[in-house]
Amino acid sequence: MTKKFIDLAPNYFMQGYSCSESIACAAVELGLADENFVSIATSFSGGMSSRCLCGAVAGSQMVLGLLHGKNKDNSARVLAKEFYERFTKIHKVTCCKVLTKDFKDFHSPERKNHCVNMVADCSKILDEMLAEINAKV
């Protein structure tokens, strides 16, 4: 069986990596990025520490840019919009503050159990989009 983001990223998140780092760790394990990608993703955790943008969304967007940005096929912006539309169809917003509004303690186990679903949904969307792109090639 070929591993996918959905097989990896939620597990990294539950092991203590942040939302953005867990997507990046999966990209590294899948051979899509080198280990430095995880360090880059760190600053996108918790909505870039402002809780404005879900880190899992940010990490996913970074993967799309890495694979399809400048000096590649330059379709990253179109793919970014598609990713956004798919995520907001499920969750309505991408704002970490709104997605976690029911959790007073950002570091609580309850919030972590909630956010692993964001990581899983982003992973699933990434897997679907990358499979669709590969099917066109």
Side-chain angles (χ1 to χ4, degrees):
M1 175 177 119
T2 304
K3 287 187 179 180
K4 297 180 179 182
F5 278 92
I6 192 65
D7 302 319
L8 303 170
N11 292 328
Y12 279 116
F13 184 76
M14 295 309 288
Q15 291 171 23
Y17 287 90
S18 73
C19 42
S20 57
E21 291 168 341
S22 62
I23 298 290
C25 285
V28 170
E29 188 169 336
L30 293 170
L32 302 173
D34 70 33
E35 292 177 3
N36 291 320
F37 194 54
V38 178
S39 295
I40 294 166
T42 299
S43 63
F44 291 86
S45 304
M48 296 166 277
S49 296
S50 70
R51 296 186 55 221
C52 285
L53 174 65
C54 170
V57 171
S60 299
Q61 295 288 7
M62 291 185 336
V63 168
L64 293 171
L66 180 68
L67 299 177
H68 298 281
K70 292 223 185 280
N71 304 321
K72 307 286 179 162
D73 65 15
N74 207 26
S75 64
R77 303 238 1 225
V78 171
L79 295 171
K81 183 175 188 250
E82 177 67 22
F83 184 94
Y84 171 84
E85 289 171 354
R86 291 185 190 199
F87 186 86
T88 56
K89 186 174 183 181
I90 301 165
H91 296 287
K92 308 293 184 237
V93 298
T94 59
C95 176
C96 178
K97 285 179 188 176
V98 176
L99 292 167
T100 61
K101 71 181 180 335
D102 295 331
F103 304 95
K104 293 184 193 293
D105 180 2
F106 188 73
H107 300 290
S108 71
E110 294 81 13
R111 197 264 326 149
K112 186 158 186 93
N113 287 331
H114 170 75
C115 288
V116 74
N117 294 318
M118 302 304 129
V119 172
D121 289 341
C122 286
S123 296
K124 184 177 180 209
I125 294 166
L126 264 180
D127 286 334
E128 290 169 354
M129 289 181 69
L130 294 176
E132 291 164 11
I133 292 163
N134 289 334
K136 291 178 184 176
V137 180

